[in-house]
Amino acid sequence: MAGEEVLAPPRWLSGALLSVGGAERGYTVRAPNLSWVTSKGSRGTEEAAGGLGRAAPPRLPACLPWEPSGGALGTSKGRRAGVTTAEVKKAAFGLGSHASLPLELAGSGQAGRPTVARAARRVHTGPPLSLTGGQRRAQTEFVLMCVVEKGTKSPERGYGGFAGLTDTAKLPERATSTTTTPASTASSAHSVPCPSPTVSSGLEENLLIQFALGLLGLLLHGLPVVRHLGVLTPMGLCPLARMPLLRDNFTGPLHPWARPEVLTCTCWGAPIIWDGTFDPDVAQQEAVQNLTIGLTVFAVGRYLQKYLAHFLETAEQHFMVGRRVVYYVFTEGPAAVPRVRLGPDRRLREEREERVARWRRWQNVSMVRMRTLHAALGGRLGREARFLRSVDVDQHFSGTFGSEALAESVAQLLLWHYRWRRRLLPFERDARSAAALDPSEGDFCYQAAVFGGSVAALRQLTVYCARGLRRDRARGLEARWHDESHLNKSFWLQKPAKLLSPEFCWSSDVGRRAEIRRQLLWAPKEYALPRG
Ligand SMILES: CC(=O)N[C@H]1[C@@H](OP(=O)(O)OP(=O)(O)OC[C@H]2O[C@@H](n3ccc(=O)[nH]c3=O)[C@H](O)[C@@H]2O)O[C@H](CO)[C@H](O)[C@@H]1O
Ligand SMILES: [Mn+2]
């Protein structure tokens, strides 16, 4: 119901519905029998575990981020072993500066003094790209293993201690494989979902409650109210809330705990940016200056006239204000691109795109964007801009969209489904499609209307999607949500370094929600004319 305010559920109800949604991402459920295991293989004290905290070891699965600098893994030992920090991070999910590894690394070093190099090599050559069935099971049972640096006061000093939380009742089998699997060829079998809760007993009941509420909502208010039921599904809590805060090169210190009603980080350590979890002024100051940020947008056919002017005008007011920005407008009709007054240090380039115009169906225009973007990233655009954001044109900015939205790779949570259970997410389920995800796969549902990252990350992403789209086309297939389905597959395999909350891409169709404080708004869906 447009304009209706929907409040967060009362606490008791959150508890009742705990396992329905966010909890399955592994944040809010107690994991029994957790204890520290140190690098020496013994049950550890906190000190031995790297000084993780002064209080008793937390009962929640917990991960610490790697030092943004690369910390222990960037040591001379690591280098001598021929393993770079970047390689390790890539092997462990292709992450940016923060990573957590759901691996069993405890005891991986020599007795008494495990070296970073050994651990790094182990990460590099074995899991998580070749997890055994036992490890996978262990993960779903909340064994969240983390690599924790120890003794890394100076990044030049090379010892790493490793500690993890493990369920001592069910230690995972050790991985036996030592074959190297390059991250770039990782298939879905190698990507690991956020752990699922062991306490699934209430799940069916909770689903029933939600179903009953849905039915009631239907009877009382008609269909639209059903959409709001997602609000009753807790998203889970960021386990890092009680840990050292994640840092991000663009955002300054983050405050994941500032928004306890929503999930503010992922299980692999990426922050989810919500209003209040960052300080916009600090973000603006901390962000590396003098970066050119590209904003790519396709405006083909009637979309150009209907949406582009308003989109650009509002981008001038809100998008990366004070920074160097280049708009890249892909269109077959550059002459019709509206002349919008641009601020200093901001320019607009028309990228003549004849190919897109050939496609009659709007879905084809949408899909061909991946290929076109990939080609452009290899050319002038890729040389000119350091970070890019690709957006749909049928929306406009209505609030600040600044440096906090930058990172190595950035995904946007889809507003309809950000609280939904993983199994219910509308991923491509036709196993023949390159975009297919198994019901146990996929972390979140991301939106193709906003994604971004460095040139290198986006080249990887776009080529992956473009290949998948081409393969599907050759087989006469089209994924359910076109390019968006492929984007979701890609982000499942190569986890994004940062997620933007739905506050960054909202629709008035959903109405107002208390938890949504700032917005990039979709234009009303009046597609009869532009798509006609
Ligand atoms: C908000 C959101 O979730 N958007 C996604 C959703 O799109 P939408 O349902 O919002 O699709 P859409 O019509 O906005 O098409 C995507 C974009 O392609 C461009 N365009 C499309 C057709 C055309 O004739 N001319 C033109 O310029 C334009 O930039 C448009 O914004 O699903 C699409 C694929 O199903 C894409 O994945 C979109 O990113
Ligand atoms: Mn759109």
Side-chain angles (χ1 to χ4, degrees):
M1 222 171 291
E4 185 187 5
E5 177 132 355
V6 179
L7 299 169
R11 215 164 243 287
W12 61 268
L13 193 53
S14 301
L17 296 174
L18 192 66
S19 55
V20 174
E24 73 172 346
R25 302 192 207 286
Y27 302 118
T28 47
V29 185
R30 269 192 324 141
N33 301 329
L34 289 178
S35 71
W36 300 107
V37 176
T38 69
S39 47
K40 294 167 195 167
S42 60
R43 201 73 67 81
T45 62
E46 286 161 49
E47 207 187 343
L52 284 169
R54 266 169 218 95
R59 287 154 107 184
L60 301 174
C63 276
L64 290 185
W66 257 325
E67 279 291 307
S69 63
L73 294 168
T75 61
S76 52
K77 279 180 198 290
R79 279 197 294 278
R80 267 210 301 281
V83 183
T84 65
T85 310
E87 275 178 314
V88 174
K89 284 177 181 166
K90 201 170 165 203
F93 302 140
L95 287 173
S97 51
H98 301 296
S100 55
L101 303 178
L103 305 175
E104 212 271 292
L105 276 172
S108 62
Q110 295 148 336
R113 189 165 264 198
T115 64
V116 170
R118 272 178 72 88
R121 184 171 283 290
R122 195 180 147 80
V123 172
H124 187 59
T125 56
L129 300 178
S130 52
L131 289 178
T132 64
Q135 281 178 315
R136 279 176 167 275
R137 268 198 308 284
Q139 281 187 330
T140 56
E141 285 171 19
F142 263 118
V143 182
L144 187 61
M145 310 302 297
C146 305
V147 178
V148 178
E149 288 175 57
K150 186 188 167 202
T152 51
K153 288 193 191 81
S154 145
E156 303 314 314
R157 299 275 313 272
Y159 301 122
F162 296 92
L165 284 173
T166 186
D167 182 341
T168 48
K170 290 185 180 105
L171 272 172
E173 289 163 23
R174 278 200 173 268
T176 46
S177 163
T178 51
T179 49
T180 306
T181 316
S184 54
T185 60
S187 74
S188 61
H190 300 129
S191 207
V192 183
C194 286
S196 303
T198 35
V199 278
S200 58
S201 48
L203 188 63
E204 281 71 29
E205 292 91 313
N206 291 335
L207 276 174
L208 267 177
I209 293 175
Q210 219 177 24
F211 180 70
L213 284 172
L215 217 58
L216 197 69
L218 256 179
L219 288 175
L220 295 178
H221 299 284
L223 193 66
V225 81
V226 175
R227 286 176 173 168
H228 295 310
L229 285 174
V231 163
L232 298 174
T233 309
M235 288 187 84
L237 295 175
C238 175
L240 291 152
R242 294 199 280 150
M243 298 289 171
L245 295 177
L246 285 168
R247 281 191 68 85
D248 181 272
N249 289 345
F250 300 100
T251 321
L254 290 168
H255 312 290
W257 203 231
R259 297 288 304 268
E261 79 280 24
V262 287
L263 183 62
T264 50
C265 75
T266 69
C267 75
W268 63 92
I272 306 178
I273 307 292
W274 290 86
D275 191 43
T277 61
F278 65 96
D279 179 334
D281 297 334
V282 177
Q284 178 73 1
Q285 284 160 20
E286 291 240 339
V288 188
Q289 303 300 321
N290 298 326
L291 283 181
T292 299
I293 297 150
L295 184 64
T296 64
V297 65
F298 284 71
V300 175
R302 301 192 197 156
Y303 281 60
L304 194 156
Q305 259 195 338
K306 183 163 169 69
Y307 299 114
L308 188 60
H310 191 41
F311 172 85
L312 289 171
E313 280 156 13
T314 56
E316 273 302 280
Q317 289 160 22
H318 301 293
F319 182 74
M320 304 286 167
V321 176
R323 307 190 66 97
R324 198 186 303 149
V325 170
V326 183
Y327 299 101
Y328 299 93
V329 178
F330 290 82
T331 180
E332 83 285 21
V337 170
R339 304 286 130 211
V340 174
R341 235 181 113 88
L342 301 177
D345 250 0
R346 297 168 82 96
R347 55 207 299 204
L348 187 146
R349 291 193 187 284
E350 291 116 10
E351 302 282 321
R352 182 178 273 279
E353 183 45 58
E354 302 290 359
R355 260 179 313 184
V356 284
R358 284 212 307 268
W359 302 102
R360 290 267 162 74
R361 293 172 68 231
W362 70 267
Q363 295 93 332
N364 286 344
V365 177
S366 185
M367 286 189 284
V368 89
R369 289 184 296 175
M370 289 295 179
R371 201 175 72 199
T372 307
L373 270 179
H374 182 70
L377 285 162
R380 181 182 63 182
L381 184 155
R383 291 190 298 277
E384 200 167 55
R386 271 286 297 287
F387 287 87
L388 284 131
R389 187 140 302 258
S390 166
V391 290
D392 271 18
V393 72
D394 56 339
Q395 46 194 352
H396 62 268
F397 294 87
S398 67
T400 319
F401 207 110
S403 317
E404 69 278 0
L406 294 176
E408 183 59 23
S409 65
V410 186
Q412 169 69 54
L413 285 181
L414 183 60
L415 76 184
W416 297 116
H417 307 296
Y418 64 101
R419 283 177 173 273
W420 284 29
R421 292 187 62 222
R422 183 163 49 217
R423 278 175 186 278
L424 299 178
L425 296 177
F427 296 130
E428 177 57 39
R429 299 299 185 198
D430 182 347
R432 295 170 304 160
S433 167
L437 284 174
D438 188 80
S440 65
E441 296 177 333
D443 300 303
F444 299 92
C445 196
Y446 304 118
Q447 195 170 334
V450 179
F451 63 90
S454 69
V455 170
L458 287 187
R459 286 199 74 184
Q460 238 188 330
L461 178 90
T462 49
V463 78
Y464 182 86
C465 295
R467 277 190 196 140
L469 285 158
R470 195 175 57 213
R471 216 186 82 183
D472 275 11
R473 203 169 44 251
R475 296 179 179 183
L477 300 171
E478 191 169 282
R480 182 173 174 193
W481 291 108
H482 319 103
D483 45 319
E484 197 162 76
S485 301
H486 292 266
L487 180 98
N488 271 283
K489 174 75 174 259
S490 180
F491 273 140
W492 154 248
L493 294 172
Q494 298 283 322
K495 312 282 190 210
K498 181 181 271 185
L499 270 62
L500 300 182
S501 72
E503 292 174 322
F504 286 80
C505 195
W506 192 251
S507 166
S508 48
D509 285 357
V510 187
R512 266 171 25 85
R513 277 191 188 169
E515 64 198 20
I516 303 295
R517 297 188 187 167
R518 37 167 284 154
Q519 297 164 4
L520 160 69
L521 281 174
W522 292 7
K525 294 265 170 200
E526 299 160 347
Y527 287 137
L529 177 66
R531 284 180 179 170

